[in-house]
Amino acid sequence: MAKVKITETVLRDAHQSLIATRMKLSEMEPILEAMDEVGFYSVEAWGGATFDSCLRFLNEDPWERLRVIKKRMPKTKIQMLFRGQNMLGYRHYADDVVDYFVKKSVDNGIDILRIFDALNDIRNLETSINAAKKMNAHVQGAISYTTSEVHTVDYFVNYAKQLENAGADSICIKDMAALITPYAAEELVLALKKNVKIPIQMHTHYTSGLASMALMKSIEAGADVIDTAMSPLALGTSHAPTESMVAALRGTPYDTGLDLKKLDVVRAHFAKLREKYLASGLLDPKMLGVDANTLIYQVPGGMLSNLNSQLKQAGKIDLFEEVLAEVPRVRRDSGMPPLVTPTSQIVGTQAVFNIINGERYKMVTKEFKGLVRGEYGRTPLPIDPEFRKKIIGDEPAIDCRPADLLEPELDKLRAEVPASLLEQEEDVLSYAQFGPVAIKFFEQRRAEKYGVDAAHADAANSVHPM
């Protein structure tokens, strides 16, 4: 029986879940060396919403953040979350951009790429898996976990086999909505261990209050690695506390071997940050509680608050229960997608429109049309042809891998960025995903560096060549 390994999420998913990804690099830096001494299997520190948040809200270069973390944590594997053909943006990108992004991520310090697709469509992962293998990085293929009559143990086992055959080095059960129960976790891990030969990792959130129990049953069933978060930024919509899980496994055959005293040094640092976030209002105490409605409606916590806010803005909050009842119907109509970014937003918004307008699909969002048409990939259930025609009319459905319809775009994107704003090759990839947001960041960076505004950046560049 092997020791259980720990992936620490405090530098990415914990603060993404609790404070909208607003932790700054300057708040991380003082504790990185101490974290490097703990002996984590890996530290998830990049990807997900961190890239967007760095550029949009923190005026930070996400690539520089990665380089600093890697330099300060040379002994620990640095891990990222990657949305396959979407990379870290919100649309499908051409293969040449995906390939280059993966290369640059590994060049700058990423050791493990956790790659997932919202629809569990293996075709949307092939390019990024191949690119990561080419760079000798560890590929973790992630299963977007959800519950429905389609999403059976057999369904997940079949998908795990596809991931293994595609080249994944390990499998992650990615329970982003905190829907997995302890015994469902045990059953799924046992089935995966029996059917695939690569390590299994369990990722679940505390939203429903079940995370610690689900992790424990996963471990007993043979899970090799679990995701946790340092206790000051654990619980609620985040993860089970690292120190608690380490303590629970001490002296057992699953003992992690991690030192609680070393962890306490790390805990003390994040405890101060927690107080700071609470005092500033960045951390809402409500985010730290348990929301069992997640299990009743099978809707992620973030999606519930999104629906609430959409209805409040429309002055229709009294329709909240009706919208919640409509969500599973819209989900079924659209092929039973797992509810995770971007499908949760697409299905939720359409459910709101259906109820507010008093007629189902009287008004259809562009994104919902795209989902039904096949722009995001193959849905778990085939979409009824009559329903598809009602939504997209005579537009042709997309049955191929969506990215097969995209021309190479890296050179075109590179040509769109003013040369005066490019300071590193990676900037092209920042621009590829976040366009105007990235340009605004480049302009600010230039102004701060040379004490000039964006209008004078060209002149500054001729004096200070790259």
Side-chain angles (χ1 to χ4, degrees), residues 282-332:
L282 196 53
L283 177 54
D284 182 345
K286 284 185 200 159
M287 302 300 286
L288 299 167
V290 165
D291 185 358
N293 281 338
T294 300
L295 296 167
I296 297 166
Y297 301 116
Q298 297 182 350
V299 166
M303 186 177 169
L304 276 175
S305 54
N306 216 15
L307 295 177
N308 197 32
S309 135
Q310 284 180 321
L311 288 167
K312 269 186 185 164
Q313 283 169 13
K316 302 274 188 182
I317 194 63
D318 54 312
L319 297 176
F320 189 62
E321 292 293 328
E322 284 181 58
V323 169
L324 281 178
E326 177 67 359
V327 167
R329 293 194 286 264
V330 173
R331 188 181 175 210
R332 177 170 301 284

Side-chain angles (χ1 to χ4, degrees), residues 320-366:
F320 189 62
E321 292 293 328
E322 284 181 58
V323 169
L324 281 178
E326 177 67 359
V327 167
R329 293 194 286 264
V330 173
R331 188 181 175 210
R332 177 170 301 284
D333 290 341
S334 56
M336 207 56 90
L339 297 177
V340 61
T341 301
T343 50
S344 52
Q345 291 89 330
I346 295 170
V347 168
T349 301
Q350 190 57 52
V352 168
F353 282 166
N354 284 2
I355 297 300
I356 285 180
N357 292 325
E359 184 186 326
R360 305 187 76 223
Y361 306 111
K362 180 181 179 182
M363 182 178 170
V364 181
T365 68
K366 173 174 161 278

Side-chain angles (χ1 to χ4, degrees), residues 138-288:
H138 178 110
V139 172
Q140 184 167 85
I143 296 167
S144 294
Y145 180 84
T146 187
T147 50
S148 79
E149 79 273 17
V150 190
H151 295 95
T152 60
V153 168
D154 286 346
Y155 168 92
F156 290 127
V157 165
N158 179 51
Y159 187 51
K161 285 179 178 173
Q162 290 178 49
L163 290 168
E164 184 178 34
N165 292 337
D169 300 298
S170 63
I171 300 287
C172 173
I173 301 164
K174 181 175 160 52
D175 176 30
M176 55 280 165
L179 295 176
I180 204 161
T181 61
Y183 291 100
E186 178 184 47
E187 184 185 13
L188 180 52
V189 172
L190 282 170
L192 291 174
K193 292 298 285 185
K194 191 175 169 186
N195 286 280
V196 297
K197 297 181 176 66
I198 51 180
I200 306 297
Q201 182 152 355
M202 176 59 80
H203 167 101
T204 185
H205 289 254
Y206 223 98
T207 323
S208 59
L210 298 174
S212 297
M213 292 180 276
L215 291 179
M216 194 61 87
K217 294 306 284 183
S218 302
I219 289 164
E220 289 172 356
D224 302 275
V225 194
I226 58 171
D227 283 16
T228 60
M230 292 304 301
S231 58
L233 291 177
L235 305 177
T237 49
S238 179
H239 301 267
T242 303
E243 308 94 303
S244 307
M245 291 306 299
V246 167
L249 299 170
R250 264 180 104 177
T252 73
Y254 312 108
D255 195 324
T256 63
L258 300 188
D259 185 340
L260 284 168
K261 286 180 182 167
K262 286 183 180 177
L263 284 170
D264 190 49
V265 174
V266 180
R267 182 207 60 78
H269 174 79
F270 289 105
K272 285 180 196 155
L273 285 181
R274 175 192 165 105
E275 291 309 311
K276 178 177 159 185
Y277 298 148
L278 282 166
S280 69
L282 196 53
L283 177 54
D284 182 345
K286 284 185 200 159
M287 302 300 286
L288 299 167

